[in-house]
Amino acid sequence: GDSVIQMQGQVTLSENDFLFINCTYSTTGYPTLFWYVQYSGEGPQLLLQVTTANNKGSSRGFEATYDKGTTSFHLQKTSVQEIDSAVYYCAMRPNTGYQNFYFGKGTSLTVIP
Amino acid sequence: GGIITQTPKFLIGQEGQKLTLKCQQNFNHDTMYWYRQDSGKGLRLIYYSITENDLQKGDLSEGYDASREKKSSFSLTVTSAQKNEMAVFLCASSIGGNSDYTFGSGTRLLVI
């Protein structure tokens, strides 16, 4: 069935550390993939999305590559800052007919100054 | 630019009480959603609506009702609040197709 898996529930880094959040998905065909970010007290907001397999999306220093071969869409940032502290959700929209999103369980990132 | 407004921001209810959460959007989006957010469980879909007067159940619809009387508004009712329940309810909207979601800032529910 369709699903999104984020194994890391919490990540704690120091400023300027490298960030890597794992995301894998399961579906048939070619879904659209998303990363959402949720700051404290707010709703999730779109960070980046990629529609085409093997393409890379980027925003605010974050990057994610749609890897059809490994069914992954890992989120990376070279040098995190304290303001990046938030919850990050990987999401997928299957491309078969009308489909809603499937969200991962979220990864809470804390960046220590 | 548009906005999604959820009311109230905080809701304290009593066990067994019927509670209604409201959501309004001015994007003119066709599709609206209600999600429940619990720590460690991510976002779970309760109800969604493709257009005015349409209702579709999500994975977590038991214990909830929804209403979409206008294109711009989508309300959610907790039919009987459970004691010690604590969660955030998020409303979202989208144009449809492969477009992304726009979320409201949430209603935080506490049942005592």
Side-chain angles (χ1 to χ4, degrees):
Chain A
D2 298 322
S3 65
V4 173
I5 297 174
Q6 275 180 263
M7 295 298 292
Q8 299 147 288
Q10 294 192 354
V11 173
T12 302
L13 298 172
S14 298
E15 275 196 327
N16 301 314
D17 279 353
F18 175 73
L19 170 69
F20 184 91
I21 300 178
N22 209 299
C23 172
T24 57
Y25 67 89
S26 174
T27 189
T28 56
Y30 291 80
T32 297
L33 302 173
F34 306 80
W35 277 100
Y36 279 81
V37 57
Q38 184 178 25
Y39 300 104
S40 181
E42 299 180 11
Q45 56 183 268
L46 181 66
L47 179 60
L48 56 87
Q49 75 177 80
V50 179
T51 304
T52 306
N54 301 322
N55 277 10
K56 179 189 293 185
S58 60
S59 173
R60 307 183 226 170
F62 291 88
E63 289 186 346
T65 299
Y66 183 155
D67 189 329
K68 177 65 174 169
T70 59
T71 62
S72 66
F73 193 52
H74 310 314
L75 183 69
Q76 305 179 68
K77 186 174 186 181
T78 304
S79 176
V80 293
Q81 303 303 307
E82 188 180 5
I83 58 168
D84 295 325
S85 297
V87 179
Y88 292 82
Y89 288 97
C90 185
M92 169 189 73
R93 172 170 261 162
N95 71 345
T96 53
Y98 183 88
Q99 291 283 357
N100 295 314
F101 279 35
Y102 290 82
F103 286 89
K105 293 187 177 181
T107 299
S108 177
L109 171 66
T110 302
V111 180
I112 302 169
Chain B
I3 191 169
I4 290 188
T5 303
Q6 289 188 238
T7 55
K9 288 190 182 301
F10 298 95
L11 182 57
I12 299 176
Q14 294 189 325
E15 185 180 17
Q17 193 176 2
K18 180 187 285 188
L19 303 168
T20 299
L21 292 65
K22 295 185 183 296
C23 178
Q24 295 255 20
Q25 54 95 1
N26 62 0
F27 293 103
N28 200 33
H29 283 170
D30 292 313
T31 310
M32 296 186 73
Y33 311 82
W34 276 105
Y35 281 88
R36 177 178 166 130
Q37 182 178 39
D38 295 277
S39 179
K41 295 184 180 178
L43 305 178
R44 293 181 289 173
L45 182 63
I46 305 172
Y47 266 98
Y48 68 100
S49 169
I50 298 172
T51 188
E52 185 177 326
N53 293 319
D54 175 73
L55 288 176
Q56 306 285 338
K57 292 183 178 181
D59 296 331
L60 206 65
S61 62
E62 188 170 336
Y64 302 93
D65 287 328
S67 174
R68 182 98 182 268
E69 294 175 354
K70 294 190 301 183
K71 185 177 182 179
S72 61
S73 67
F74 193 30
S75 62
L76 180 73
T77 298
V78 180
T79 56
S80 180
Q82 301 298 303
K83 189 172 175 64
N84 297 324
E85 184 174 5
M86 188 166 67
V88 176
F89 291 85
L90 292 167
C91 177
S93 70
S94 69
I95 296 172
N98 265 340
S99 63
D100 65 286
Y101 288 6
T102 300
F103 283 90
S105 57
T107 292
R108 284 146 185 81
L109 170 67
L110 174 63
V111 181
I112 55 176

